[in-house]
Each structure stands twice: as structure tokens, then as C-alpha cells.
Amino acid sequence: MPEYTSIVPPRIPFIDAGTGFVSREWYQFFLSLYTLTGSGTNNVSLSDLQVGPPPLESTYQYFITVAQDDTLTWLSMHT
């Protein structure tokens, strides 16, 4: 199995019309992605993936405003 993933051209149908199954090219593409990402042997749990960023301090809200010259300005306001 190669260690890289070739992108399947859009002209290749996902389903093989003769068999009704996923085409060989698409199968190889997804199999190589599976192999490159550890073949299901990682130890990341679903709860690890569902953890979000830490909350901002409860006393502040942060806003970004765009000035007329397209520069960004950070503002903080007490709530």
C-alpha cells in the first residue's frame, strides 16, 4: 500500500455501474486514508473529540470590529 493518497478524479463514479459496489479507485482512496490515519489503532475516544475550547472569563465578552480601512480592533466590555 502506498504511503500517500491520490485524489480520485471527479470523472470516476463512486459506484461501479457493473457491480453496484464502490468503485476500485474510491475504495483504494478511502483505504489509504484509513491506513494513513492509523488503521483504527489510535487511543482517542469520542469524548476526547467532543471537548471544546475552554470558556472565556465570565466577566468579559470580546468583540472584533472592522474599521473603515479594514483593520481589526479588539474591544472588551464588562458584562
Side-chain angles (χ1 to χ4, degrees):
M1 177 60 55
E3 293 185 13
Y4 60 90
T5 303
S6 298
I7 298 175
V8 180
R11 68 178 179 275
I12 304 293
F14 184 72
I15 301 294
D16 184 3
T19 63
F21 295 115
V22 174
S23 66
R24 183 173 190 264
E25 295 84 0
W26 280 104
Y27 177 81
Q28 288 178 333
F29 173 74
F30 288 119
L31 181 61
S32 65
L33 287 179
Y34 176 74
T35 303
L36 286 171
T37 57
S39 304
T41 59
N42 62 30
N43 57 2
V44 177
S45 69
L46 182 59
S47 61
D48 291 337
L49 297 175
Q50 293 175 340
V51 174
L56 293 175
E57 293 178 311
S58 61
T59 57
Y60 292 98
Q61 288 182 340
Y62 297 94
F63 299 95
I64 299 176
T65 60
V66 180
Q68 291 180 354
D69 59 352
D70 293 332
T71 58
L72 296 177
T73 305
W74 289 90
L75 301 175
S76 65
M77 300 176 66
H78 289 289
T79 57

